[in-house]
Each structure stands twice: as C-alpha cells, then as structure tokens.
Amino acid sequence: MTDNVVPLFKEPTTATATIPATAPAPTDVVRPVRVWKRTARGLRTAVTHERTRTAARLVARHGMFVIGGTRITAKRTWDGRTASRYERMIRAAEAAGNWEEAKEWEDRLQRFRSGRHSRRMDLLRSAPALAKSTLYGTGLTVGGLLALGIVLAIANKDITWVIAPIAAVIEAIRWIVAIATLVWGPALVIGPWLALLALWGVGRRQQTAPQWTLPAQQRDDAGAPITPSIVVTALRDLGIAPLRNAIKEMGDVGAAMLGPIRIAGCGVEVDVTLPSGVSTAEVQGRRRKLAENLARHEHEVFITIPTAARTVRLWIADSGALDQPIGPSPLVTDDTMTANYKTGRAPWGEDLRGDAATLSLYQRMVLATGLSNQGKTAALRALALWAALDRTVEFRIADLKGVGDWGMFDGLATTLIQGPTDEHVIEATEMVEGLVAEMERRIQAPPGTVFPPLVGIVDEAQVAFMCPAVGADKRPYGGSKATSRYFMAVRKIHNQGRAVDVLLWEGTQDPTDQNLPKLVREGAHTRVSLVLGTESQARMALGDKAVDGGAAPHLLRQGLDKGTVVVASDGIAIPAGQASITVRTHYIDTEQATEVAARAKALRSGITTAHTTDRGPAVDPIADILTVLGTDARVLTQDVLKRLAAANEKAYGGWSFLDLKRVLDGTGAEPYKSDGRMVIGRDRIARVLAGRPDTGSASAAE
C-alpha cells in the first residue's frame, strides 16, 4: 500500500540539462553543407555553361526579332496613315540646312493633308447614298431572282420553281456559314502564330536583335566590307546626341549625309556631311570609338577635314592591311636611278591610298622628329641618299648619335662628324656656323649667281640644344637664347639660307620646348613626324594647323608603325583641303644604303671627308684685346672691335659690343665710360692677364 502512495508535494530537484544519449557526429552537420556547395557549383556551372549561354542568346535573339518586327510594322502603319513621314523629312532637311528641300516637303505635307480631308468628307457624304444604293441593290437582286424563278416555273410547268433561285442563294449562304464555322476555330488558333511569324520575319530581315544576342560567327564582323549602313550606324552610336537625333529624324536614316564610298588604296574613303549642331572636332575626338563601331582598330581609321564646310573625310583601311609591309624603295631596285635636286622628287614611300609619295627637296628646310627607335634616321637618310644621286649636291653631316647610321657618307660628304659627346656638339656647331659663313659669302655675290646646293644634316639635334658646354667667349653652345651658338646659327640659315641653296635638315626625338625651340620648329618648310607620345608634341612637330586638320602622329602605334610619318609640307602632294598627309616610307637598311651611297660616290671624284671642323689657331680674346690696344692707355670700344676684326676676321669679324662686353664681364676689365664714351683700359686688361696662372702672355705683352 505504501508503495503506491503518491506524495502531494515533491522535493525540489536541481534542474539539469537533458543530454541525449548519443550526440550527432560531426559528419552529420558537415554533410549537408557539402551537399549544398556541390549543388551551388552545379547550378553555377549549368548557368555559365556555353550551351546555357547559347540557349539564352537564342531565346533573346528571336524574342527581339518579334519585338523589333512589331515596332517596325507599327511605325510603317503609322507613317502610312499619318503625316509623320513628311514631318520627319522636313526636320531632316532643316537639320542638314537644305531649306529648299524642306520647303518642298512642306508643300507635299499640305497636299497630303488636303487630300486626306477631302477623302474624309466624301466618306461622310457617302453614307446616305450608300444606304440608298444598298436598298436599291437588294430590291433589284430579289426582283431579279423572282423573275428568274417565274421564267423557270413557266419553262418547267411547276409553280415551285418560282422560289428556286432564292432558295439556291439561301443554300449557298448556308454552306458559306458552315464552312466559315468549320474554319474559324483553327483560324483563331493559327492566326496569331502566323502574325507572330510575319513579325519575326520583319525583325529578322532588319536585324533588330542586339549584337550580344547574335551567334559568335555573326558578331565577329572584323574586316567586314564598309557599307553606307555600317558608316551611318557607327556615326549614330558615337555618343553625340545631336548627331544621333538628327540621324533618327532623317527620312533616309542618315544616308544623305554620306558621299560616295570610294576605293582608296588598301581601304575606302567617304566624305560625311555633318548635320547642323555637330562640329567636326567632336567627331575627330571620338576616333577610337568610331573605329570600334566600324569593326576596325584605331590606327586603321583616319579622320581629316576636306574643303567642304561641316564635313569630315573618313579613310577606313581594310582590316590588317596597314600591318603589311610596303615594297622596297626604287633607290634599291633601280640601279640606274639618278636625281635632280631642283626639279625631281624623292621616292619616299606610299600614302594610305597606295599611291607613290614623292617629296620635293628644292630649297626646303627639313625637320624630322619622333620617339626613339621609330625610323626617324632611316626616313631622313632615304631623302639624303636620293639627293646624293645628284652630283651637284654637297653634304655636311653631324650625327650626334654616333653609331654609324651615316657611315656610308664617308667619302661622299665633305664633313662627317659622328659622336654624342660635348666635343662632337662643339664640332657640329662649328660645322653649322661654317654653313652660315658660306651662306653670307653667297649672299654677297653678284645677283643672278647660281650656287650648287649645300645641305647640312644634324641628326639627334636635341643633343646640341641640350649641350651645357660654354666656349672661351662665354657663349653657350646649347640652349635657345640669343647667346646660344648652335641656336643662332640655325636661325640664320632658316632666315636666309634657302635663297642661296644653303639648307639645314634636322632630326630630333621626343620634342619639347627645351630640346626643340619654337623658332627652330617653325623655320622648317617640311615638317615630318613619326610616332609621338602626346598631342602637344604633335603640335610642336607639325604645327597647330596640321593637328587641327586631322594630323595625329600621337595616335600611331609605337613599335608597330615604324617608318610611318605624317608630313606637313608644300613639297608633297596633299589632298585638297588637308594640311598633312600620312606616308608609309620605304625602309632602306644599312647594307642597302651603303650600295646606294657607292653609286652616288661613283658620280663624284676627289671628295675627302673631314671628320672634324677646321677651327683655325686657338684664340685668346683677352690677350688679343691687349695686343690691339698697343701702347694706348685706353681705346674706344668701337675702335677695339675694328682692330680685332682687322687682326682676325674669321674669329672677330662678326663681333659686336655685346660680345666684347660678355668676354670682359666679371674680369675687372669691363668697358667703362670716359668723357661720356665707352672705352677699354690697357692697364686693366694687363692686370687680368697677369693674374692668370700662366702669365707668359701678359708679361710678353707688357
């Protein structure tokens, strides 16, 4: 009994967590995670698989065909029922600035609206007449059928034939209704599908699906022939809103903007007349995007400005054509070729149209610039090799690179300096100053005197402009100031050398205002640029006019467009309205250049090449000043200059008071005023010489 008694109150017990008899193993938790990861990977693989992408593109493509076909059909229907087509043509004519055509389309619009109004009024007026005609026609038909029935009844002697014609008509109507009822059900099912098929066909013919939905073989249209629709589409998608809107509003969808597409060398050429509100600069600034829209690389599309207003000229290369080398130079292939400096033209290469590009060198200064190792020396050397085939041309050459690029002119040029050091720059400067002296001698000759052409060539001229060397007269060899010897000699030749056939050709690299001063750049008649890094450098090389007109050497490909030059010169045939032309020059390697130079040497005889300039005896301006002062205590500066020139015309013939002052500045023997006139004191000059480490000259003078 006591064992079955349940107590009313239980003693409190300590709460303890219920621990299952067996805890789940770690693998029981990890396994669902692994399964989930495997499922996610499988789904990701399925979604990103090429078959899935192809199926998605297929569905999107054909869906867009239907949508696009619906849009085109609706637009055609709307255009046929309304005046929107005429209004669109009016806007297109106004956008193109063709006011006469706009007026003609406006007259057509008025005639269309008048005709439509007349048709609507005729329709309203024809309703009563139509009702009368219907009643009259019905009565006439019924009467005719009754008359026919009477005739049949008389003929068959049976009164029932009176209604036989009417009964036959009623039976025919019954069969028509029965057939229509039978066909109506399937027609309701098939009709919408036929309509969708028709819309799909319209969209497919017009290619309304986006590019990303097309199959790979259709989307890979690189190198496709250039057609008007491709050009207009490329212009529409440039991202220029006024141009895009104008093309959409044109009735011919932009075809009127295009001139004829002409075959031009290894590409095609087309002139595009831009609508009002779109500048040529906007199109030029989007060259890369235009090239990509045309399925071309940027270097395969060139944009220039012809003579016609608001027009751009597009030259579009065949895909990959510009990567193919051009043929060898005629200088190499024709052993009998000779040159005529005055009337001939150097065969330099081919323009983008595939025509021979020839350059006249007659009385023209040449400046060639570009980045390093892009073919600048080879292009400049090709011109010199052609000119060398005229035996009357004399060359004086300074190669401040000094790696032998001009070595074949040894025995052909009267002066050949090769080396990059300051000493070579000094010799090159003295060579150019020698050209100046010869120029001045020729200028002083009697009028009408004919001189043989003298061509000075300085390759890597930036080395001369950046040279820090300073002469004994304290004049720097480099720099671009009025005291710079090289700079001033170049300027003098640019100013007057052409008239007496003393010319200077310079080759520089990576132009800046420091290594190619503005006055030197603008003194060249023929400006040539290879690959450059920036547009500002292109403007330095060719000038603002050429770059604004479409010249773009900074868009050439470094390393891939070696030897391709942009030329701004009146010595080469440039299409009308353009300020420059792009030429792919013939490459003549060193071995071939040596062979051409050998032919040029055979035309000459007795030429000995000097590898340094003749500087004459060394001069000491201060010692010479003391010598010409003689025993006079002080002498007027003007008289000192005259005495120096008389003593050494070559060294001091061109000196002025500034040269004299520059030599004496800071020595303690500067010119000073005596009785209001500038003089030089003998005692001061003697003290300067006496203070030198070697005072032999001063002691002897005293």
Side-chain angles (χ1 to χ4, degrees):
M1 293 290 294
T2 59
D3 294 335
N4 295 328
V5 174
V6 178
L8 295 177
F9 299 97
K10 293 183 179 180
E11 296 182 1
T13 59
T14 303
T16 58
T18 304
I19 301 175
T22 57
T27 54
D28 296 337
V29 179
V30 174
R31 186 177 294 108
V33 176
R34 291 179 177 175
V35 171
W36 180 84
K37 287 184 178 180
R38 282 198 301 270
T39 304
R41 279 197 301 270
L43 289 174
R44 183 167 61 251
T45 303
V47 170
T48 59
H49 194 274
E50 184 60 30
R51 291 183 180 177
T52 306
R53 293 182 178 182
T54 302
R57 283 198 298 266
L58 178 68
V59 173
R61 179 168 67 253
H62 292 285
M64 292 305 297
F65 283 160
V66 174
I67 295 173
T70 303
R71 177 178 56 81
I72 292 173
T73 303
K75 188 174 185 298
R76 289 175 179 174
T77 304
W78 179 260
D79 286 345
R81 302 291 298 175
T82 66
S84 61
R85 177 179 300 170
Y86 299 92
E87 294 172 352
R88 189 165 60 251
M89 296 301 293
I90 291 172
R91 288 194 298 269
E94 290 176 347
N98 194 341
W99 305 111
E100 294 182 0
E101 185 178 352
K103 183 66 171 62
E104 180 181 350
W105 280 107
E106 188 174 359
D107 294 340
R108 293 183 182 181
L109 174 60
Q110 292 299 328
R111 290 196 296 270
F112 170 79
R113 287 175 173 171
S114 299
R116 184 178 60 183
H117 177 72
S118 299
R119 290 191 297 273
R120 288 176 177 175
M121 296 304 297
D122 292 342
L123 182 62
L124 292 175
R125 287 192 293 266
S126 65
L130 180 63
K132 292 179 181 179
S133 298
T134 302
L135 292 175
Y136 178 75
T138 302
L140 186 63
T141 301
V142 172
L145 291 174
L146 286 174
L148 178 62
I150 292 171
V151 171
L152 292 174
I154 294 172
N156 294 319
K157 299 179 180 180
D158 187 356
I159 192 63
T160 59
W161 281 92
V162 173
I163 61 172
I166 296 176
V169 171
I170 294 173
E171 183 66 14
I173 293 173
R174 187 183 72 82
W175 276 105
I176 291 173
V177 171
I179 293 172
T181 303
L182 181 65
V183 173
W184 183 252
L188 287 178
V189 177
I190 298 174
W193 294 103
L194 293 177
L196 285 176
L197 182 62
L199 295 175
W200 175 86
V202 173
R204 185 174 181 274
R205 284 193 298 272
Q206 298 296 326
Q207 288 295 312
T208 57
Q211 287 293 316
W212 63 268
T213 64
L214 298 178
Q217 62 270 20
Q218 293 186 26
R219 287 184 283 116
D220 185 15
D221 55 356
I226 298 299
T227 62
S229 61
I230 289 177
V231 176
V232 172
T233 303
L235 292 170
R236 182 197 65 193
D237 297 339
L238 272 184
I240 303 175
L243 179 60
R244 181 179 63 252
N245 296 335
I247 291 175
K248 288 182 177 180
E249 292 173 357
M250 291 181 181
D252 55 3
V253 200
M257 297 192 308
L258 305 184
I261 297 180
R262 305 175 295 273
I263 295 177
C266 57
V268 296
E269 187 177 72
V270 59
D271 287 350
V272 181
T273 302
L274 301 177
S276 178
V278 182
S279 70
T280 56
E282 290 180 287
V283 178
Q284 283 183 307
R286 288 171 168 81
R287 176 183 171 187
R288 174 175 295 181
K289 189 170 185 179
L290 177 62
E292 292 172 350
N293 292 346
L294 292 168
R296 295 294 190 272
H297 295 292
E298 184 178 11
H299 71 277
E300 294 176 329
V301 175
F302 288 82
I303 306 173
T304 54
I305 310 299
T307 53
R310 213 171 64 235
T311 302
V312 294
R313 177 169 294 163
L314 307 180
W315 185 85
I316 307 163
D318 297 336
S319 184
L322 294 183
D323 296 328
Q324 303 298 322
I326 64 174
S329 170
L331 293 174
V332 177
T333 58
D334 186 359
D335 294 340
T336 63
M337 175 176 284
T338 58
N340 188 309
Y341 160 77
K342 185 175 182 179
T343 61
R345 289 176 172 268
W348 207 16
E350 295 179 357
D351 62 17
L352 296 179
R353 295 165 182 80
D355 300 328
T358 58
L359 179 67
S360 172
L361 302 173
Y362 178 62
Q363 293 187 343
R364 288 179 174 87
M365 311 290 175
V366 178
L367 172 64
T369 186
L371 298 180
S372 177
N373 194 30
Q374 298 303 309
K376 167 179 52 63
T377 297
L380 193 61
R381 187 177 64 188
L383 298 177
L385 288 171
W386 176 82
L389 296 177
D390 184 341
R391 62 189 308 272
T392 64
V393 179
E394 178 188 351
F395 290 98
R396 300 182 187 179
I397 301 174
D399 176 15
L400 298 181
K401 185 190 298 181
V403 295
D405 289 337
W406 296 87
M408 68 289 301
F409 280 82
D410 193 353
L412 184 58
T414 54
T415 301
L416 179 59
I417 299 167
Q418 300 183 88
T421 66
D422 290 349
E423 183 64 24
H424 292 102
V425 172
I426 293 172
E427 293 178 350
T429 302
E430 292 171 347
M431 182 195 79
V432 177
E433 290 175 340
L435 295 175
V436 174
E438 174 63 18
M439 175 191 72
E440 293 173 344
R441 184 190 69 80
R442 294 184 178 189
I443 291 174
Q444 294 172 2
T449 305
V450 178
F451 300 100
L454 173 58
V455 178
I457 301 176
V458 180
D459 196 10
E460 306 297 339
Q462 77 279 356
V463 178
F465 284 112
M466 301 301 290
C467 179
V470 179
D473 57 356
K474 296 188 178 180
R475 292 182 62 191
Y477 287 92
S480 57
K481 296 182 179 179
T483 56
S484 168
R485 291 180 60 177
Y486 180 80
F487 171 74
M488 291 305 298
V490 171
R491 288 292 299 135
K492 290 177 181 178
I493 295 175
H494 281 179
N495 289 338
Q496 297 178 302
R498 183 191 63 81
V500 290
D501 280 321
V502 176
L503 307 176
L504 182 63
W505 300 354
E506 291 182 286
T508 69
Q509 63 174 263
D510 200 12
T512 65
D513 284 328
Q514 289 71 37
N515 63 26
L516 188 59
K518 185 175 187 292
L519 293 177
V520 174
R521 304 194 299 259
E522 296 182 350
H525 305 98
T526 297
R527 301 171 72 169
V528 180
S529 177
L530 292 95
V531 181
L532 289 174
T534 64
E535 181 179 334
S536 62
Q537 288 183 320
R539 293 183 181 276
M540 291 181 188
L542 299 175
D544 291 337
K545 181 180 179 181
V547 176
D548 291 338
H554 55 290
L555 296 181
L556 296 175
R557 301 168 298 167
Q558 184 174 0
L560 298 177
D561 290 325
K562 285 186 177 182
T564 300
V565 299
V566 183
V567 187
S569 171
D570 60 351
I572 192 170
I574 297 178
Q578 296 180 204
S580 65
I581 187 171
T582 302
V583 176
R584 303 171 70 198
T585 60
H586 297 294
Y587 176 65
I588 303 176
D589 60 31
T590 303
E591 182 179 350
Q592 294 170 336
T594 302
E595 295 175 358
V596 177
R599 300 205 312 263
K601 292 174 185 178
L603 301 174
R604 295 166 169 80
S605 61
I607 294 181
T608 301
T609 300
H611 295 279
T612 183
T613 55
D614 182 12
R615 305 180 189 177
V619 296
D620 185 345
I622 296 180
D624 290 341
I625 291 172
L626 182 59
T627 300
V628 300
L629 289 177
T631 59
D632 296 332
R634 55 181 179 271
V635 179
L636 295 174
T637 54
Q638 294 179 353
D639 293 338
V640 172
L641 291 172
K642 292 178 181 178
R643 294 180 185 182
L644 286 172
N648 191 338
E649 173 67 24
K650 183 176 181 180
Y652 304 114
W655 271 36
S656 65
F657 173 75
L658 292 177
D659 297 306
L660 189 62
K661 184 176 181 296
R662 181 173 55 252
V663 170
L664 297 177
D665 276 348
T667 63
E670 297 86 350
Y672 63 94
K673 280 190 176 182
S674 176
D675 296 330
R677 304 185 68 181
M678 298 300 292
V679 298
I680 294 177
R682 184 181 184 281
D683 293 341
R684 298 186 180 187
I685 297 293
R687 282 197 298 270
V688 172
L689 290 175
R692 288 181 174 179
D694 181 12
T695 59
S697 60
S699 301
E702 291 183 353

